[in-house]
Amino acid sequence: MGQRHEQRTERQQGTPLLSVRDLTVEFDTDRGPLRAVDGVEFDVEQGETVCLVGESGSGKTVTAETITKLIRMPPGRVVRGVAELDGRDLLSLSERELRRVRGNRIAHVFQDPQHALNHCFTVGWQIREAIQVHEDVSDAAARERTLTLLDQVGIPDATTRYDDYPHEFSGGMKQRIVVAMALAANPDLLIADEPTTALDVTIQAQVLDLLEAVQAEYDMSILLITHDLGVVAELADRVVVLYAGKVMERGSVYEVFDAPAHPYTQVLFDCLPGRGRPLRSIGGRLPDLHDPPPGCRFAARCDYARDECHTGDQPPLYDVEETQTQTASCVYHGPSGDPAVLRDGHSAGESDG
Amino acid sequence: MSTDTPRRRFEDIDWEANHGIAVGRQTAGFLTTLAALAVVFAFDYVREAPLFSPNPLFRDGWDLTQLDWLFVVSLSLFVFYVLVPLATHRRMTAHYWREFRKNRAAVVSLWFLIVVFTLGLVGPLIVSKPQVALTQSYQPPVGLSVDSTVPLSCVGDVVGGRCHGNWQFPLGTTGDGKDILSLVVLGMRVSIRIGLITSFLIISIGATVGTVAAYVGGLVDEVLMRYVDIQQVFPSFLLYLLLIYLFGGSLLMFILVFGLFSWGGTARLVRSAALQRSEDEYVEVARCAGAGTAHVIRRHILPNVSGTVITNLTLLIPGLILFEAGLAFLSLGDPTIPSWGQTIAAGRSDLRTAWWISTVPGVFLFLTILAFNFVGDALRDALDPRSEVE
Amino acid sequence: MRWYVARRLLWAIVATFVILSITWALLYVTEQQALTSIQFQAAVSGGDAEAARAAYEQQRGLDRPLWRQYTDYMTNMATFNWGYSTSRGQPVTAAIADALPYTMMYSVPWTILTVALGLSIGLYSATHQYSRFDYAATFVAFFGYAIPNFWFGIVLLVVFGVHLDMVPIVFDPDAPVFSLANARQLVLPVFVLTTGSIASLTRYTRAEALEYVEATFTKTAKAKGVSERRILLLHVLRPAAVPLSTILVADLLGLFIASSYLVEVVFGIPGLGQLSFKAIQNQDTPLVLATTLVGVFIAVIGNLLQDVAYTVLDPRIDYGDR
């Protein structure tokens, strides 16, 4: 504990808590290697909430689970890239060193609370394990701390519920327990992978509130993975938009929501009802990740695609004009492009590529 | 990974809708065959003499026993409900073949089983029943030799005091001069009979009881399932021992005992699948559309469990073949049937001098069981939706 | 929970009762058949068929009313009054008590070895799926299952007993239980049985463990920082133990009953299997019946234990009512 606080103060000003650079992950499949994540880069600063947004299959989960190497390897494989926590690359750590990071400094909350808890052990046992894996404390002390945690995440009657099995809790309650378990070792970063998708709408709001509350209390950063833009708007400080394993756009939540710069982000927002624009659905499908076509990943579905969009590599993340932090991987924001084309086409709600 | 294109599974085939005529024909074909068999059976029953008197093709004549009839029925079921659908749904077959082919051991095993099946089916018509001939006893297989004092007289060449094998008996002979090759081929016949007939019994009874229990429900369900409970508790092996002790043993008895008392697992499987399915939406839809219970069962329930049932069978059949061999070895089997176990038992006491007598059928038995296991394992990977990985 | 166990216990008793009734009916049918043939023989040889029938009925107690015969039979069964073995010249229960230790002698090490090896190989295969070890384990498991027990036993006896002279060929029933001599003569039977039974446990353990190795809760445990070994031994094995307990009983028990016959005959071990086998050969009906029923009782008890184990192991099962 103490040691970790030292590390925290030692950290140089300006070094982000988590820094992912050029992360590239492949899976070996029957049809050859599948590149699920390709050159993803983003930072998470101390105390902030970063959202990874994208449709399913865009590589959000793989990105998040590669940071602490939770993906199964094989078939998974980190081709290149680094994921630095306080400047130390996690991907090159040994399994033993990684174990000290998992749970202790980076904790996870998964999508499906129904299956995130082992049905054969009591919830108390499972939370206590999360504590005792990292701290050499007595059973009694760990139990005390578990009860405090259960209380904190809003489980009524924690003392009596301690010895209950997961199936005796509702879905929302289970997710609270999973959160309690993630908090057990007082982590610096909480990675929450669609924590509310499997829950009822009313419960969703409660769990999100809980996340906000514990973030303030524990002074944690949160990396939130979601496809729900409503959640993004509510919690995020910054947004990273992924498509087919590539980062399409990055920026602060205000900038991105105000003026989405990448055509993909624009379409994504158009899918959201109640934004004053006619609802659209995205035509076409994700490109084949076994053998992605050249050029921009989104080109095939993009209304503005030009010839150069179908050749070469994915465009780099160009700074978007008139913004502080927003960048977009689109040629219209590059030196030879005119971003006005996107804005005009977008606000007019027309598409005449 | 979500990039998988949707695939058709064995259980997904619309068994009747798109191919109404084809499958209609299939059922009709099966019923016609059954009817034809019934006529021949009646004819055979009335006529006292064997159906086929000795002739050049069927060397010893061919008096059809109850076992033969059961076998022919099982065989036609196999043809109409396994081979015909596979041939009709080419794309689905091709897909399964691709999946199956990944397991190379299973492909080799499948070929081996096909050879055993074919030989077991037609072999007995070509191979004559091995006769006791003491002058030809203890002949070694081709390419091997044995001290010339072991056989009474050597059919092949005697070189340096050793009797060499001869092509007259490619796999050698037993202690009473029976040709081991013929014994092996006849043993194949016994094995495929055990496999096919018991499968037929297990599938038909298990599927019927399972679906009836699920659909009628209530007291009938309770009684049927409690009966299955008891049956599952009573080991078939002990029941068979008791029955052969009381009534005497035969291959028919063996097949009936193990066929009639091993369907509990299949019935439970079908029942739980049926209960689960009956709550599924599409069954509800089918019901609302006025589909009868029989239709729902045939069209939605059975196809859904077929993968699991078939896989279970490929693992159950080798167990039964082993059982039969074991019982034959204990001379608790049918002494008139030349099964592999019978031959293994016959060569037991000669293992030190004429080791091939036990070993040759032993190896065939071993390979057959091994092949079934490999095929079953590959089928489970290809057919069983529950065990689908990535 | 206690109520649930009581219900299962009651059910086991009912099952036993039904099975006993069935055996009585079978016996009754055969006795009637024997009676007919005795009458027929008496008539053929010019005797009095009626007198022969009466004598036989008198001797077998068939002159009692049917209900009485049934209740007497059931009472005898319940009070362990299982009759007298003519071939062994001792009460059936005594013969069984004599044979039982010999069966235990190889079945206890066999069970321990099968469970220990089957579980560990299966778990290792699951975590190293499609590795060289996995393929080798699969092959060895299949090999062991496919090789006929009795044939393998004979071959091993010839090789290690006759040619290499490392193990005795003839089983010595008087060897002290915990002695080198006894261990030497039990090595081959235990080996043959273990190779035969390890396959199914390995395969099932692999399949079940695979399901949980890929489960979300395993990922949760890993994300907590729990070590691989602890994940395997606690988070994977514990839930896998639920279905595996079923396989242990259903698969191994059946295999055990049949294998014990073959192995005891091949190796000349005077256990229950051989007792039963010899009883069949000697037409010793009370002994055949009793040894068969002992097997059935073992199966009934095994199933009962399995049910109880299931409820103890899986906290999700609601054993309140049902």
Side-chain angles (χ1 to χ4, degrees):
Chain A
M1 288 280 283
Q3 193 192 347
R4 216 173 59 230
H5 284 298
E6 247 166 70
Q7 280 175 0
R8 199 176 281 172
T9 47
E10 258 173 37
R11 201 168 64 229
Q12 293 158 349
Q13 206 64 35
T15 312
L17 174 69
L18 177 76
S19 170
V20 175
R21 288 288 170 271
D22 197 21
L23 185 66
T24 304
V25 183
E26 281 186 353
F27 285 89
D28 289 322
T29 68
D30 295 338
R31 290 173 51 216
L34 178 148
R35 188 160 282 195
V37 174
D38 196 351
V40 166
E41 308 201 346
F42 63 90
D43 292 335
V44 180
E45 300 286 347
Q46 174 66 38
E48 77 169 348
T49 302
V50 173
C51 278
L52 284 182
V53 186
E55 54 195 294
S56 47
S58 60
K60 305 174 304 237
T61 300
V62 176
T63 304
E65 293 186 358
T66 306
I67 292 168
T68 50
K69 286 197 185 167
L70 289 181
I71 56 165
R72 277 172 72 78
M73 296 192 261
R77 179 158 36 87
V78 177
V79 179
R80 56 171 189 271
V82 291
E84 288 179 345
L85 185 72
D86 289 336
R88 190 167 63 143
D89 181 21
L90 298 176
L91 300 181
S92 55
L93 291 187
S94 71
E95 184 64 26
R96 179 183 285 272
E97 288 170 314
L98 260 179
R99 278 214 301 274
R100 255 178 270 148
V101 174
R102 291 184 193 134
N104 197 19
R105 303 215 50 206
I106 301 181
H108 278 263
V109 171
F110 296 106
Q111 176 175 355
D112 182 6
Q114 299 299 339
H115 299 110
L117 294 166
N118 194 319
H119 56 261
C120 286
F121 298 102
T122 63
V123 296
W125 188 93
Q126 295 188 54
I127 298 175
R128 214 181 69 200
E129 185 188 37
I131 298 169
Q132 288 180 319
V133 161
H134 297 292
E135 284 173 57
D136 189 18
V137 292
S138 68
D139 284 3
R143 186 190 150 93
E144 272 314 304
R145 175 143 169 72
T146 304
L147 290 176
T148 316
L149 282 167
L150 285 174
D151 214 39
Q152 248 168 11
V153 298
I155 304 286
D157 264 344
T159 328
T160 48
R161 300 293 263 163
Y162 183 89
D163 288 319
D164 281 354
Y165 286 94
H167 72 270
E168 293 165 278
F169 292 87
S170 68
M173 283 293 162
K174 272 187 210 155
Q175 197 63 307
R176 284 170 187 272
I177 290 163
V178 174
V179 172
M181 200 154 73
L183 297 175
N186 205 353
D188 299 316
L189 172 66
L190 180 72
I191 299 180
D193 189 348
E194 310 222 9
T196 56
T197 310
L199 302 173
D200 287 346
V201 183
T202 47
I203 312 287
Q204 284 187 2
Q206 292 174 13
V207 169
L208 290 176
D209 288 346
L210 174 67
L211 282 179
E212 263 191 310
V214 296
Q215 177 175 28
E217 199 166 329
Y218 284 77
D219 187 28
M220 304 183 295
S221 306
I222 293 182
L223 178 62
L224 185 70
I225 294 159
T226 183
H227 59 251
D228 185 341
L229 293 172
V231 173
V232 179
E234 197 177 322
L235 290 183
D237 296 314
R238 286 193 298 124
V239 181
V240 179
V241 181
L242 285 180
Y243 180 78
K246 292 269 192 193
V247 176
M248 293 289 128
E249 178 166 357
R250 273 193 332 231
S252 75
V253 68
Y254 303 108
E255 288 167 343
V256 174
F257 270 63
D258 247 18
H262 195 283
Y264 172 65
T265 323
Q266 293 178 358
V267 179
L268 203 63
F269 279 110
D270 284 350
C271 296
L272 200 68
R275 283 186 64 91
R277 297 193 202 98
L279 214 67
R280 284 179 17 176
S281 64
I282 314 179
R285 311 176 44 188
L286 277 173
D288 183 2
L289 294 176
H290 286 286
D291 183 21
C296 177
R297 291 286 161 89
F298 188 60
R301 296 163 81 178
C302 182
D303 293 335
Y304 308 99
R306 306 192 298 209
D307 285 347
E308 61 178 304
C309 293
H310 294 286
T311 56
D313 289 329
Q314 178 77 30
L317 282 159
Y318 294 114
D319 288 339
V320 176
E321 286 171 32
E322 297 162 30
T323 62
Q324 306 278 314
T325 58
Q326 201 175 1
T327 56
S329 164
C330 179
V331 291
Y332 285 96
H333 293 281
S336 62
D338 175 15
V341 176
L342 298 179
R343 238 164 274 152
D344 294 347
H346 186 59
S347 53
E350 285 165 11
S351 51
D352 47 17
Chain B
M1 293 291 100
S2 53
T3 49
D4 274 0
T5 44
R7 287 170 179 159
R8 280 169 77 88
R9 287 210 196 102
F10 194 53
E11 43 269 79
D12 287 341
I13 322 163
D14 213 345
W15 289 57
E16 268 162 272
N18 298 333
H19 306 272
I21 305 166
V23 182
R25 249 190 240 145
Q26 176 187 330
T27 313
F30 180 60
L31 291 178
T32 318
T33 314
L34 276 190
L37 283 174
V39 171
V40 182
F41 179 74
F43 178 69
D44 182 48
Y45 191 76
V46 174
R47 209 175 115 124
E48 310 235 308
L51 196 58
F52 302 102
S53 48
N55 60 46
L57 185 60
F58 308 127
R59 290 194 194 170
D60 307 309
W62 204 20
D63 189 10
L64 290 171
T65 60
Q66 291 145 307
L67 201 61
D68 293 311
W69 288 109
L70 260 179
F71 179 66
V72 173
V73 172
S74 312
L75 196 63
S76 48
L77 189 83
F78 175 72
V79 168
F80 282 105
Y81 288 96
V82 177
L83 296 187
V84 169
L86 283 179
T88 324
H89 305 275
R90 292 270 167 76
R91 276 192 50 199
M92 187 264 310
T93 312
H95 165 65
Y96 280 119
W97 179 241
R98 267 198 310 280
E99 286 289 307
F100 187 84
R101 212 172 39 186
K102 285 182 200 160
N103 190 337
R104 221 172 299 157
V107 176
V108 177
S109 302
L110 186 67
W111 281 114
F112 178 78
L113 287 183
I114 290 174
V115 169
V116 166
F117 184 81
T118 319
L119 273 181
L121 210 58
V122 301
L125 306 179
I126 313 163
V127 176
S128 57
K129 242 183 201 150
Q131 301 299 329
V132 175
L134 289 176
T135 50
Q136 298 169 353
S137 62
Y138 297 122
Q139 301 299 323
V142 171
L144 293 165
S145 64
V146 67
D147 197 287
S148 55
T149 52
V150 174
L152 213 56
S153 66
C154 187
V155 176
D157 305 322
V158 182
V159 181
R162 295 190 70 81
C163 172
H164 285 261
N166 178 280
W167 279 105
Q168 193 185 339
F169 303 109
L171 296 180
T173 60
T174 65
D176 43 15
K178 287 180 180 170
D179 180 15
I180 294 180
L181 180 66
S182 329
L183 286 175
V184 164
V185 171
L186 292 173
M188 289 176 184
R189 183 170 86 140
V190 176
S191 297
I192 65 165
R193 274 169 190 234
I194 295 171
L196 265 186
I197 303 178
T198 44
S199 315
F200 163 68
L201 291 172
I202 289 170
I203 288 185
S204 40
I205 303 178
T208 313
V209 172
T211 38
V212 166
Y215 273 88
V216 181
L219 189 65
V220 174
D221 182 24
E222 191 68 17
V223 168
L224 284 176
M225 285 303 115
R226 290 293 83 82
Y227 169 74
V228 168
D229 274 355
I230 294 184
Q231 185 185 291
Q232 294 290 89
V233 165
F234 207 129
S236 307
F237 177 76
L238 293 177
L239 181 66
Y240 178 73
L241 281 188
L242 207 56
L243 288 177
I244 54 165
Y245 175 70
L246 296 175
F247 303 106
S250 71
L251 187 61
L252 181 68
M253 165 91 99
F254 175 85
I255 287 174
L256 287 182
V257 166
F258 282 91
L260 295 178
F261 296 99
S262 309
W263 49 264
T266 308
R268 280 183 185 165
L269 202 68
V270 172
R271 175 179 172 272
S272 65
L275 282 178
Q276 207 181 334
R277 292 292 146 190
S278 62
E279 281 159 21
D280 280 358
E281 274 173 38
Y282 64 94
V283 175
E284 288 291 312
V285 171
R287 279 252 183 82
C288 289
T293 305
H295 175 80
V296 170
I297 290 171
R298 213 172 48 235
R299 173 91 175 275
H300 298 288
I301 311 295
L302 292 185
N304 261 300
V305 290
S306 57
T308 322
V309 168
I310 289 175
T311 310
N312 276 2
L313 274 179
T314 52
L315 300 174
L316 186 70
I317 292 172
L320 291 180
I321 296 179
L322 263 182
F323 255 151
E324 195 283 330
L327 287 165
F329 175 79
L330 291 174
S331 53
L332 297 174
D334 189 337
T336 61
I337 302 285
S339 78
W340 288 334
Q342 208 73 253
T343 316
I344 296 175
R348 179 187 173 180
S349 48
D350 300 322
L351 209 54
R352 293 182 66 181
T353 49
W355 54 269
W356 61 86
I357 302 175
S358 278
T359 308
V360 169
V363 166
F364 271 94
L365 182 59
F366 167 68
L367 289 179
T368 308
I369 311 299
L370 198 63
F372 264 113
N373 273 290
F374 275 120
V375 169
D377 209 42
L379 275 183
R380 179 161 46 195
D381 287 345
L383 289 181
D384 195 343
R386 282 181 313 166
S387 60
E388 216 163 82
V389 222
E390 278 290 299
Chain C
M1 166 133 185
R2 205 172 291 160
W3 173 229
Y4 176 85
V5 174
R7 280 169 73 103
R8 294 313 299 180
L9 194 66
L10 198 71
W11 171 240
I13 293 169
V14 172
T16 314
F17 192 78
V18 172
I19 288 166
L20 283 176
S21 306
I22 294 170
T23 49
W24 173 80
L26 283 174
L27 276 180
Y28 180 78
V29 171
T30 41
E31 301 244 323
Q32 292 305 314
Q33 278 181 346
L35 196 56
T36 322
S37 82
I38 281 168
Q39 281 174 276
F40 180 72
Q41 269 167 15
V44 166
S45 57
D48 182 357
E50 206 46 37
R53 187 183 76 100
Y56 185 78
E57 281 189 344
Q58 176 86 47
Q59 182 208 338
R60 292 293 177 113
L62 292 175
D63 48 351
R64 294 169 297 170
L66 205 56
W67 175 246
R68 190 63 205 287
Q69 287 181 41
Y70 176 70
T71 47
D72 282 356
Y73 173 84
M74 295 303 266
T75 318
N76 282 340
M77 281 294 152
T79 53
F80 288 94
N81 182 12
W82 289 357
Y84 191 81
S85 161
T86 44
S87 68
R88 308 226 352 147
Q90 65 184 140
V92 165
T93 38
I96 289 174
D98 285 350
L100 201 57
Y102 293 105
T103 301
M104 300 281 284
M105 254 187 250
Y106 67 85
S107 53
V108 170
W110 167 72
T111 314
I112 294 170
L113 274 177
T114 304
V115 172
L117 287 176
L119 282 183
S120 38
I121 296 176
L123 274 180
Y124 193 88
S125 272
T127 46
H128 299 75
Q129 204 189 359
Y130 303 129
S131 67
R132 211 166 284 167
F133 178 91
D134 185 23
Y135 283 118
T138 307
F139 189 79
V140 169
F142 282 174
F143 180 88
Y145 176 73
I147 198 157
N149 265 341
F150 52 96
W151 179 70
F152 195 36
I154 302 170
V155 170
L156 288 180
L157 260 188
V158 168
V159 172
F160 290 101
V162 179
H163 290 304
L164 298 177
D165 200 21
M166 287 162 73
V167 294
I169 307 165
V170 182
F171 188 87
D172 173 16
D174 298 325
V177 179
F178 296 103
S179 66
L180 191 65
N182 203 31
R184 264 173 34 144
Q185 64 186 357
L186 288 174
V187 160
L188 284 187
V190 170
F191 177 74
V192 166
L193 277 171
T194 309
T195 51
S197 59
I198 207 169
S200 59
L201 191 60
T202 307
R203 299 302 293 165
Y204 279 112
T205 308
R206 181 178 177 275
E208 292 299 336
L210 264 183
E211 199 170 305
Y212 295 117
V213 162
E214 284 165 7
T216 316
F217 60 71
T218 317
K219 207 157 58 174
T220 310
K222 199 175 170 187
K224 283 198 287 193
V226 180
S227 70
E228 287 288 334
R229 197 195 307 150
R230 192 176 155 92
I231 288 178
L232 208 57
L233 292 181
L234 275 172
H235 296 259
V236 172
L237 192 55
R238 179 63 182 72
V242 180
L244 284 180
S245 67
T246 320
I247 288 135
L248 263 181
V249 176
D251 257 51
L252 292 189
L253 202 66
L255 202 66
F256 166 69
I257 290 171
S259 309
S260 70
Y261 257 76
L262 291 163
V263 164
E264 287 185 12
V265 169
V266 167
F267 290 97
I269 304 171
L272 278 180
Q274 203 178 58
L275 185 70
S276 176
F277 176 63
K278 285 201 168 144
I280 291 175
Q281 283 183 324
N282 297 330
Q283 297 285 306
D284 191 344
T285 306
L287 197 54
V288 172
L289 197 64
T291 47
T292 324
L293 287 177
V294 166
V296 175
F297 291 148
I298 292 175
V300 170
I301 292 167
N303 275 275
L304 178 70
L305 288 179
Q306 168 196 318
D307 280 343
V308 174
Y310 212 92
T311 57
V312 171
L313 289 175
D314 193 343
R316 286 176 306 179
I317 289 185
D318 181 17
Y319 25 71
D321 42 10
R322 245 188 335 136

